[in-house]
Amino acid sequence: MAEANQNGIFRVEGLVAGYGKKQVLNGVSLEVEGGEVVALIGHNGAGKSTLLKAVFGMIPIWQGEVYWDGVKRRKPTPREMLHAGAAYVPQGNRVFTDLSVRENLEMGGITLPTKQAVREGMERVFGLFPALKERLKQRAGTLSGGEKQMLALGNALILAPRLLLLDEPSLGLAPPLVSQALGRVQQISKDSHKTVVIVEQKVREVLKIARRVYVLRMGRVSFAGPADALKDESRLREVYL
Amino acid sequence: MNEQIIVNSIISASVVVLAGVSFFLPFSVARFFHFTHGAAFAIGAYTAFVLAQKVRCNLWFAAAAGVLVSAFLGIILDVLVFRRMQRTGTSAFVLLLASLGAYVLLQNILSLVFGDAAMSIAATHAWKTFAVMGARITAAQVLQITTALILVIILRLYLKNSATGRAMGAVGHDRFLAQCVGISPARTTTLAFGCGYGLAGLAGVLSALNVDVVPTMGMNPMMLAMVAVIIGGNTFLGTVCGALLIGFAQNFGIIWLPTQWQSAIVFIILLFFLLLRPQGFSNRPVKKATI
Ligand SMILES: Nc1ncnc2c1ncn2[C@@H]1O[C@H](COP(=O)(O)OP(=O)(O)OP(=O)(O)O)[C@@H](O)[C@H]1O
Ligand SMILES: [Mg+2]
């Protein structure tokens, strides 16, 4: 039974997953409070993307479980997670490159029950990203990196999720746009009390917006603590290298 | 004379349209050249033939059964063969080879069971012949043209407006991302094979009303369907335009060229498109090869 005080809380326990025979995650546990932004950092190949894919049901979970809103899930599916108010933006701000901005957002909202709900969702996204409204007919493949990032986020936000799983939203963005993009994520979380798990390689930038940090190393959590603790360069180097 | 060529073009085009859109549906979702389409075409025709001629069922019932059997073939092939291969990351080229193998197998089974001799539904059902502007056309051909027309309209609306139709587009464009937005790529692909092969069966049944039923009867329409999809730039309306172009070129071409060239004309058009306009009728730039 979902208790009221479990709402918005996202928890992973002893997660083991991988591809084919190759095990990538060796028992990962983490917990995110409602409305909290948590950063997930780690070297290339540490398993950050794999973790997000597994908790969202993109790949099967071998062992362990995922709790969202107090509901335990051993075999989540993307559809089920979306209906439960979670959304996932994959690595590299992936969008449907052959489709227009409008068609992309319609795909993002394909699980919504009515056309009216899709329209409302789109308006909400345009409220956050007015730039998208001006490019409704443009093919998504021709958008700039920054615009693609907005659209990828928009495809998830159209559902008004309460949990956002973001995989490197800053990937491919020019340095000044990185803090802008991450700032936007923080704002969105604050304004509508969204729980956010954000994977990032731009460690210093993400530490500014996250309250707590998990460091992943070879499929295990090697550090967990407040973001402030890592703002000291030497401490960061210690846990990260 | 010229009226007859126009009418013949429309008749040819209607077969290619039927084969083209039924080939397009699974192709646009699974993105590989599925040769088993030709088997679905022939099996639809044979099912209708057996029920109408041997069991002496009502012809409409036989036709409906042909569609259903072919649809079932599509679902079975996808679930038992293609889905498993796609899950393990098999390339489009290997999937093509697998489907070619399955096609040869199915065609041989038809040969073994029914023999290679031509059979006919057309012969025992004498169709009324009409004269349109001095050209001759049979009722079965009118039925085929009308079906093609209605089908294009219905499929267009379905792909654009229905949730499952749009899901097919999404899976075709980006399987992974489609899954992220809550679509099941596996189920959507199976649905596309079921619908597409059902319609291929329908194309086969309609052909069987006009021409002989032989085990290889699906091969030619399938090749033309592939050409239509390629010159159509892998879009639905493009495929329809490609099919029309093929139908007309085949019939008008033989005004100037010997009749044996009828098939070659199509492949000349294909080469022309591949060399000069690889994106086909669509205005999208070509992506990397999708054999
Ligand atoms: N689809 C896949 N099939 C097989 N192995 C994979 C697949 N995706 C990732 N891997 C492997 O799993 C391991 C973890 O990959 P993952 O993408 O989770 O890393 P990551 O932490 O996100 O790295 P990066 O920061 O480079 O994105 C790597 O060794 C990678 O090679
Ligand atoms: Mg990654």
Side-chain angles (χ1 to χ4, degrees):
Chain A
M1 208 49 232
E3 294 164 38
N5 62 359
Q6 294 279 302
N7 269 355
I9 297 180
F10 177 67
R11 198 149 60 87
V12 176
E13 258 177 35
L15 196 75
V16 177
Y19 306 92
K21 289 200 170 62
K22 179 176 167 189
Q23 184 171 329
V24 174
L25 300 175
N26 308 306
V28 174
S29 300
L30 55 84
E31 177 159 356
V32 187
E33 282 166 34
E36 190 184 30
V37 177
V38 160
L40 193 58
I41 61 177
H43 289 292
N44 293 112
K48 309 180 294 293
S49 299
T50 307
L51 177 60
L52 292 197
K53 281 186 237 172
V55 299
F56 195 67
M58 300 294 292
I59 56 169
I61 290 177
W62 296 3
Q63 265 176 55
E65 49 257 349
V66 173
Y67 296 82
W68 165 237
D69 274 352
V71 180
K72 174 164 147 180
R73 292 190 163 84
R74 281 176 184 281
K75 288 182 178 167
T77 66
R79 201 180 177 82
E80 199 179 287
M81 292 300 283
L82 287 168
H83 282 305
Y88 162 60
V89 181
Q91 186 160 340
N93 298 317
R94 208 150 152 178
V95 293
F96 292 103
T97 50
D98 284 339
L99 301 185
S100 69
V101 169
R102 172 190 286 280
E103 289 166 331
N104 261 278
L105 291 169
E106 284 169 353
M107 285 301 172
I110 200 165
T111 46
L112 289 171
T114 60
K115 286 211 159 108
Q116 175 64 20
V118 175
R119 259 196 303 276
E120 282 168 14
M122 261 194 218
E123 284 310 317
R124 199 172 45 246
V125 171
F126 296 148
L128 290 166
F129 309 124
L132 290 182
K133 194 167 186 174
E134 294 157 23
R135 292 170 176 76
L136 272 181
K137 294 212 171 97
Q138 194 174 331
R139 222 165 50 80
T142 63
L143 293 174
S144 76
E147 290 159 357
K148 258 187 208 141
Q149 197 264 324
M150 293 180 205
L151 182 56
L153 206 51
N155 279 347
L157 290 175
I158 191 166
L159 301 171
R162 290 173 298 116
L163 170 64
L164 267 181
L165 304 166
L166 306 177
D167 199 344
E168 291 201 48
S170 78
L171 196 76
L173 296 189
L177 288 179
V178 172
S179 14
Q180 201 185 327
L182 295 183
R184 240 173 354 230
V185 170
Q186 184 181 35
Q187 198 61 45
I188 289 165
S189 163
K190 206 184 272 173
D191 289 349
S192 42
H193 195 74
K194 288 191 201 313
T195 309
V196 176
V197 179
I198 179 168
V199 167
E200 260 306 332
Q201 291 276 7
K202 304 281 187 325
V203 175
R204 275 174 208 91
E205 306 285 348
V206 80
L207 287 181
K208 287 182 202 149
I209 69 154
R211 205 162 71 89
R212 286 186 310 118
V213 191
Y214 283 85
V215 179
L216 215 57
R217 176 180 230 152
M218 312 232 289
R220 279 201 178 79
V221 173
S222 65
F223 172 87
D228 289 337
L230 295 188
K231 282 187 177 154
D232 171 32
E233 275 300 313
S234 59
R235 184 81 181 100
L236 175 62
R237 220 168 292 143
E238 199 176 302
V239 304
Y240 197 65
L241 293 183
Chain B
M1 179 61 200
N2 273 338
E3 288 81 3
Q4 189 66 54
I5 294 180
I6 293 174
V7 168
N8 286 350
S9 299
I10 295 173
I11 296 168
S12 307
S14 67
V15 186
V16 189
V17 166
L18 285 166
V21 297
S22 59
F23 186 86
F24 172 82
L25 226 50
F27 178 77
S28 70
V29 178
R31 301 272 169 163
F32 71 94
F33 284 94
H34 49 100
F35 279 79
T36 35
H37 176 270
F41 188 98
I43 285 171
Y46 270 96
T47 306
F49 166 79
V50 168
L51 290 177
Q53 300 300 111
K54 306 275 181 213
V55 189
R56 300 247 157 234
C57 290
N58 173 294
L59 186 58
W60 303 115
F61 173 80
V67 173
L68 288 180
V69 169
S70 295
F72 187 65
L73 173 74
I75 293 169
I76 291 291
L77 278 171
D78 184 54
V79 172
L80 292 187
V81 185
F82 304 143
R83 180 189 289 186
R84 283 155 190 259
M85 296 182 77
Q86 258 173 340
R87 193 165 41 208
T88 53
T90 309
S91 75
F93 183 64
V94 175
L95 281 159
L96 177 156
L97 291 179
S99 74
L100 182 59
Y103 170 76
V104 172
L105 180 71
L106 290 166
Q107 187 192 302
N108 281 324
I109 292 174
L110 284 178
S111 293
L112 278 175
V113 177
F114 299 101
D116 288 324
M119 307 187 187
S120 175
I121 303 180
T124 48
H125 288 77
W127 297 98
K128 219 177 171 167
T129 304
F130 303 103
V132 190
M133 304 178 305
R136 288 162 47 81
I137 186 165
T138 68
Q141 288 164 337
V142 172
L143 179 66
Q144 179 170 295
I145 294 165
T146 320
T147 310
L149 198 67
I150 294 172
L151 207 61
V152 167
I153 295 167
I154 291 177
L155 279 178
R156 166 72 176 171
L157 292 174
Y158 170 72
L159 290 173
K160 258 232 149 2
N161 299 320
S162 76
T164 49
R166 292 190 308 135
M168 285 183 194
V171 174
H173 285 300
D174 190 331
R175 247 184 135 73
F176 183 83
L177 202 50
Q179 200 184 349
C180 295
V181 300
I183 296 165
S184 160
R187 251 182 278 162
T188 306
T189 309
T190 305
L191 180 67
F193 270 101
C195 293
Y197 280 29
L199 296 177
L202 178 64
V205 172
L206 289 167
S207 285
L209 300 180
N210 293 304
V211 299
D212 287 339
V213 177
V214 285
T216 53
M217 68 187 292
M219 193 64 183
N220 195 44
M222 177 184 59
M223 297 304 281
L224 298 182
M226 287 181 181
V227 176
V229 168
I230 295 170
I231 65 183
N234 192 19
T235 62
F236 179 74
L237 289 180
T239 301
V240 175
C241 293
L244 291 173
L245 177 65
I246 291 169
F248 276 82
Q250 277 194 323
N251 286 280
F252 274 87
I254 53 171
I255 297 181
W256 303 288
L257 294 168
T259 335
Q260 309 87 281
W261 282 77
Q262 201 160 28
S263 309
I265 292 168
V266 176
F267 291 94
I268 293 167
I269 297 176
L270 174 64
L271 277 180
F272 170 83
F273 266 90
L274 287 178
L275 293 173
L276 300 178
R277 201 177 157 77
Q279 72 272 45
F281 284 125
S282 81
N283 44 18
R284 280 191 222 128
V286 265
K287 282 198 290 199
K288 53 182 195 296
T290 48
I291 320 173

